[in-house]
Amino acid sequence: MSKQRLVVVGNGMVGHRFIEDMVEKAGGENYQITVFCEEPRVAYDRVHLSSYFSHHTAEELSLVKPDFYQKHAIEVLLGERAINVDRHKQIVYSASGREVAYDKLIMATGAYPFVPPIQGNDSKGCFVYRTIEDLKAIELCAKHSKRGVVIGGGLLGLEAAGALKALGIDTHVVEFAPKLMAEQLDQAGGDQLRRKIERMGVQVHTSKNTLEIAAEGESCRNTMHFADGSHLETDFIVFSAGIRPQDKLAKQMGLEIAPRGGIVINDFCQSSDDNIYAIGECASWNNSFFGLVAPGYKMATVAVDHLLADGAAPNSQFEGADMSAKLKLLGVKVGSIGDANGRTPGCKSYVYQNEEAEVYKRLIVSEDNKKLLGAVLVGDTSDYGDLLQLALNEIDLPEHPDALILPAHAGGEKPALGADALPDSAVICSCFDVTKGKIAQAVSEGHHTVAELKAATGAGTGCGGCLPLLGSVLNAELAKAGVEVTNHLCEHFAYSRQELLHLIRIEEIKSFDALLEKYGQGYGCEVCKPAVGSILASVWGEHILKPELVKLHDTNDNFLGNMQKDGSYSVIPRMAGGEVTPQALAALAQVAEDYSLYTKVTGAQRIGLFGAQKDDLPAIWQRLIDAGFETGQAYAKALRMAKTCVGSTWCRYGVQDSVGLGVKIENRYKGIRTPHKMKFGVSGCTRECAEAQGKDLGIIATDAGWNMYVCGNGGMKPRHADLLASDLSETTLIQYIDRFMMFYIRTAAPLQRTSVWLENMEGGIDYLREVIVNDKLGFNTQLESDLAKLVAEYRCEWADTLESERQLKRFNHFINSDKRDDNLMFVDEREQHRPASFEEKQRTLQAKGDILHLELEA
Amino acid sequence: MSFETVCHIDDITPGTGVCAWVNGKQVALFRPSRDEQVFALDNMCPFGKANVLSRGLIAEHQGELWVASPLKKQRFNLQDGRCLDDTSVAVASYAVELRNGEVAVQA
């Protein structure tokens, strides 16, 4: 059978999801797919569009895995617009003159931003907020602007306002309605949101009808004139007043269009032409269109199922969509569920308002007080997941529904919504439409961690709001299956690292042998020995080379250098914040030359000398210490360094002294043993030249202080750090870092980087913030004093080692000879040298004995 | 081949290894505990082709003692040199004698 020709017009989020779903499902291989993509790049994550300003890479936002289209032999016509369709001949015509025949056609043309008919709305300073190209234009304009106005106080408008604020623009929001987020919030919720946003420096103007944008002004380039006679000067304007279905092509094709716009579709997403489907924002079902991504994804699934069913009953149909949403706008948490405005006849409300903590919550329940119809949450959305499940699954409410939103101190004991209470059909992840049943099945197939479930089902990979619930479903299913979840360190200790640390602290255990005798069994191994060694060092701050500890450490810690592939070591002294004096640099260069060390600037803003023989290490370090250097702990599971940009002392953009802070924190936390290595970064302004968001701890200067980001990673699995707290003073910042470090030391698994630690933490960044900022566990004073002790006990390990005869003896290569390792050979390369390969060494076996510099054959 | 005395048992910190030059070979000596017991293997890691095994961590698995290579953590049996992670690989093992605290190796 020859393949069916399938053409998809539009490569946005929904269009791409359709294709992914198509190639995944059985039968999808019978279709030859061609995609029209009007934008110059394939599908990207429009929901997180504003993060483009902070990350600046379109790749970051891309939804398409490299080679995806190629692998599935899908033809993508990039930058090519479909301009007409002959439904009779079943041919699509493109702007470049191409003709593509189809058997089935998918319209996924999305929406376009609605620009109100205001005089002057086409002037130079007017933008919309929809594509990466739009953002690039806004950013360019922002560079020479002071003030910007967003027209539209809805979800998208506030998102855009957040982006302008982040660009350092004096930001104003102008809204036609009397409240913000009129669709999702009631008046009181909107007012609460407004107060929070205004306190952050974004001016809000509601009930403003803009009549004209005039290209004149005293302090700005443009002036907006409102119907009430007032005016506002601004340099530029971003329209974000809603979207309209992009149905122009469909109209031209003669497809039926809904009164309020959008291609009319049935429950299977078919348009008025059976061979043509419409999905996403361009489609209109029951006279409404859906501006959220979740319903669009659902439509994509429905369309695929209908196509593949080929006349038989399909697996799914579109039944409308839940428009509930949980978001973070300008740092304010907002949640809206169901009938948020209380429009259901006879409904009742429960309201909780706390102006001190700036929290507003409202429940809308049915007349009989039994079912939850809707909810509004501003400032605190921690109840969102449970409330959404109650509403969606029509679960009976507890006797006093207000207990669901009251804080614990107000006597409200929240009825726990156990995962068991939910039916299998309950949608846990609404972004990806993953039900409890699907998750349970994945658990039974052997996916036993949240991370594995995310990968297997997609749940929790969208907005992430369902992660806590995902975790409890996982635990409930594991308990049901009788699976014991073990986090034992290894065969010698039936305890987790966290438990062992606790035992060591509480019982003041100071050696591996004592711990093994009391809580372990057998001899120990390469897993538990270094793990316990690291805990002992973290808890007691004792010298890493104490004889009782030596047997616990990897060679790196024992010889205070990082072992290279040939058994030689690297020598990397500390250069806090990347600073080095010319004199110190000269001393380093002399050492490198005298000991023939390969020299390279490392990825950590310091200089590495490579190829040092073990028995040379003490002499090399003696000279470095004499020159004022100290160990850089480049060999240790400890803080490596703080990468800094030049900052306000020299840079004309910097707003704070990033080098000064970097030096300070590197010196404060150096040498402290952590579960895995740690890297810090400090940037002096929002341009983020130190790439701090890719570090375990990233600090970015703001006008008002420092923003603290945590748990980022470069490396194997890059992860952007999460914002923990904003605009901190230096004192508070240091306090938070103290707590963060100690909490990581206390609770991470061995060799678990902070990024993985956070991803496995139930409650994620919100929980971590509760612990560090709000002292949820009530032990922050202790964390701080533990850390202060470690800081006070810091000593340079190399300086200590050089003072001990006994220690120095261990550095000889042979215990019974002064000979050196004859296997270390080097080959000249780019005016320095590198270790010889095994084959190269074989060729010169006759010349054994000394360190050789081999000449490579041409 | 005769036994060659290389060091005193006290020269080896309990729980660690050292490297000795015996009969033109690099030999890794391991002292797993305070007991007067020493094992000897070839010092070269067959995976990394570097003389590093004496610097590995001593570990217990399946009731036997092993050394984990400091390069990529493959484990070698202290008694007979076989590799736990790849049965096709092994390192040479040597006989050790202890006389009045002196460690002698036959290599």
Side-chain angles (χ1 to χ4, degrees), chain A residues 45 82 135 356 571 819:
Chain A
D45 184 354
L135 264 64
E356 167 62 24
V571 171
K819 282 181 191 297

Side-chain angles (χ1 to χ4, degrees), chain A residues 41 44 64 73 76 178 184 224 244 248 317 418 420 455 466 607 631 660 685 764:
Chain A
R41 56 178 61 79
Y44 55 88
V64 184
V76 183
Q184 292 90 356
M224 299 169 69
R244 296 290 181 267
K248 194 172 146 207
Q317 52 180 338
D420 284 336
C466 64
I607 295 171
T631 180
C685 80

